[in-house]
């Protein structure tokens, strides 16, 4: 497998994806990015529902209210780790 000619700027993730020649690495990147996308959606939905009062979550409500020592609930932090890992995959 050879790198794909890329139309993307060389400092972008899209360009880096076009340079992957190992199918297993490409699969690994795709899985991590998919997990990040799902986690991003779940995290955003949870935060929105807490913010508008449709769900109750004290740690996330404290973070939304601006408490500098609040970092969200365990679910929120897990989703954030998946998002960070996904964006750092390439
Ligand atoms: Zn929460």
């Amino acid at each position: 497998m050879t790198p794909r000619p890329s139309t993307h700027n060389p400092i972008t993730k899209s360009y880096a994806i076009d340079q992957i020649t190992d199918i297993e690495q490409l699969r690994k990147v795709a899985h991590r990015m998919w997990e990040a996308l799902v986690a991003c959606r779940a995290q955003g939905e949870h935060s929105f529902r807490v913010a508008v009062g449709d769900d109750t979550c004290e740690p996330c409500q404290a973070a939304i209210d601006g408490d500098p020592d609040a970092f969200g609930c365990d679910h929120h932090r897990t989703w954030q780790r998946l998002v960070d890992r996904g964006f750092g995959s390439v």
Side-chain angles (χ1 to χ4, degrees), residues 46 50 57 59-60 72-76 79:
H46 176 65
V50 170
C57 181
C60 288
C73 65
D74 289 345
H75 291 297
H76 189 279
W79 291 322

mmCIF file of all heavy atoms in Angstrom, residues 46 50 57 59-60 72-76 79, ligand 1:
data_model
loop_
_atom_site.group_PDB
_atom_site.id
_atom_site.type_symbol
_atom_site.label_atom_id
_atom_site.label_comp_id
_atom_site.label_asym_id
_atom_site.label_seq_id
_atom_site.Cartn_x
_atom_site.Cartn_y
_atom_site.Cartn_z
ATOM 1 N N HIS A 46 -25.430 14.616 27.242
ATOM 2 C CA HIS A 46 -25.526 14.596 28.703
ATOM 3 C C HIS A 46 -25.414 16.016 29.260
ATOM 4 O O HIS A 46 -26.248 16.433 30.073
ATOM 5 C CB HIS A 46 -24.421 13.702 29.271
ATOM 6 C CG HIS A 46 -24.365 13.676 30.767
ATOM 7 N ND1 HIS A 46 -25.370 13.158 31.546
ATOM 8 C CD2 HIS A 46 -23.421 14.134 31.628
ATOM 9 C CE1 HIS A 46 -25.039 13.274 32.829
ATOM 10 N NE2 HIS A 46 -23.859 13.872 32.902
ATOM 11 N N VAL A 50 -28.357 18.096 31.258
ATOM 12 C CA VAL A 50 -28.145 18.613 32.616
ATOM 13 C C VAL A 50 -28.353 20.133 32.621
ATOM 14 O O VAL A 50 -29.030 20.676 33.497
ATOM 15 C CB VAL A 50 -26.739 18.236 33.135
ATOM 16 C CG1 VAL A 50 -26.418 18.962 34.437
ATOM 17 C CG2 VAL A 50 -26.625 16.730 33.321
ATOM 18 N N CYS A 57 -27.356 15.758 37.442
ATOM 19 C CA CYS A 57 -26.001 15.227 37.648
ATOM 20 C C CYS A 57 -25.240 16.306 38.400
ATOM 21 O O CYS A 57 -24.846 17.318 37.804
ATOM 22 C CB CYS A 57 -25.340 14.901 36.309
ATOM 23 S SG CYS A 57 -23.677 14.224 36.488
ATOM 24 N N PRO A 59 -22.138 16.582 39.767
ATOM 25 C CA PRO A 59 -20.786 17.001 39.341
ATOM 26 C C PRO A 59 -20.793 17.808 38.035
ATOM 27 O O PRO A 59 -20.047 18.776 37.891
ATOM 28 C CB PRO A 59 -20.040 15.678 39.146
ATOM 29 C CG PRO A 59 -20.797 14.668 39.929
ATOM 30 C CD PRO A 59 -22.225 15.114 39.907
ATOM 31 N N CYS A 60 -21.634 17.410 37.085
ATOM 32 C CA CYS A 60 -21.688 18.147 35.820
ATOM 33 C C CYS A 60 -22.384 19.492 36.005
ATOM 34 O O CYS A 60 -21.981 20.485 35.393
ATOM 35 C CB CYS A 60 -22.379 17.316 34.742
ATOM 36 S SG CYS A 60 -21.354 15.936 34.176
ATOM 37 N N GLY A 72 -16.877 17.450 36.146
ATOM 38 C CA GLY A 72 -17.907 16.574 35.608
ATOM 39 C C GLY A 72 -17.885 15.207 36.268
ATOM 40 O O GLY A 72 -16.975 14.869 37.023
ATOM 41 N N CYS A 73 -18.906 14.411 35.946
ATOM 42 C CA CYS A 73 -19.062 13.082 36.551
ATOM 43 C C CYS A 73 -18.095 12.067 35.908
ATOM 44 O O CYS A 73 -17.384 12.381 34.952
ATOM 45 C CB CYS A 73 -20.507 12.621 36.386
ATOM 46 S SG CYS A 73 -21.015 12.354 34.665
ATOM 47 N N ASP A 74 -18.105 10.853 36.445
ATOM 48 C CA ASP A 74 -17.236 9.791 35.913
ATOM 49 C C ASP A 74 -17.509 9.533 34.422
ATOM 50 O O ASP A 74 -16.576 9.329 33.645
ATOM 51 C CB ASP A 74 -17.436 8.490 36.693
ATOM 52 C CG ASP A 74 -16.876 8.559 38.100
ATOM 53 O OD1 ASP A 74 -16.091 9.496 38.385
ATOM 54 O OD2 ASP A 74 -17.232 7.691 38.919
ATOM 55 N N HIS A 75 -18.800 9.512 34.048
ATOM 56 C CA HIS A 75 -19.144 9.310 32.629
ATOM 57 C C HIS A 75 -18.544 10.427 31.777
ATOM 58 O O HIS A 75 -17.953 10.168 30.722
ATOM 59 C CB HIS A 75 -20.664 9.297 32.427
ATOM 60 C CG HIS A 75 -21.342 8.115 33.006
ATOM 61 N ND1 HIS A 75 -21.111 6.832 32.586
ATOM 62 C CD2 HIS A 75 -22.258 8.023 33.995
ATOM 63 C CE1 HIS A 75 -21.850 5.996 33.291
ATOM 64 N NE2 HIS A 75 -22.561 6.699 34.159
ATOM 65 N N HIS A 76 -18.709 11.654 32.236
ATOM 66 C CA HIS A 76 -18.203 12.806 31.479
ATOM 67 C C HIS A 76 -16.695 12.710 31.283
ATOM 68 O O HIS A 76 -16.178 12.937 30.181
ATOM 69 C CB HIS A 76 -18.566 14.100 32.226
ATOM 70 C CG HIS A 76 -18.283 15.338 31.443
ATOM 71 N ND1 HIS A 76 -17.038 15.911 31.350
ATOM 72 C CD2 HIS A 76 -19.106 16.095 30.684
ATOM 73 C CE1 HIS A 76 -17.102 16.982 30.592
ATOM 74 N NE2 HIS A 76 -18.335 17.124 30.167
ATOM 75 N N TRP A 79 -15.876 9.912 28.769
ATOM 76 C CA TRP A 79 -16.116 10.370 27.397
ATOM 77 C C TRP A 79 -15.006 11.325 26.953
ATOM 78 O O TRP A 79 -14.538 11.250 25.824
ATOM 79 C CB TRP A 79 -17.474 11.072 27.300
ATOM 80 C CG TRP A 79 -18.640 10.174 27.450
ATOM 81 C CD1 TRP A 79 -18.768 8.901 26.972
ATOM 82 C CD2 TRP A 79 -19.873 10.468 28.117
ATOM 83 N NE1 TRP A 79 -20.004 8.394 27.313
ATOM 84 C CE2 TRP A 79 -20.700 9.328 28.005
ATOM 85 C CE3 TRP A 79 -20.369 11.581 28.805
ATOM 86 C CZ2 TRP A 79 -21.984 9.281 28.557
ATOM 87 C CZ3 TRP A 79 -21.640 11.541 29.345
ATOM 88 C CH2 TRP A 79 -22.444 10.401 29.223
HETATM 89 ZN ZN1 LIG B 1 -22.593 14.033 34.483
#
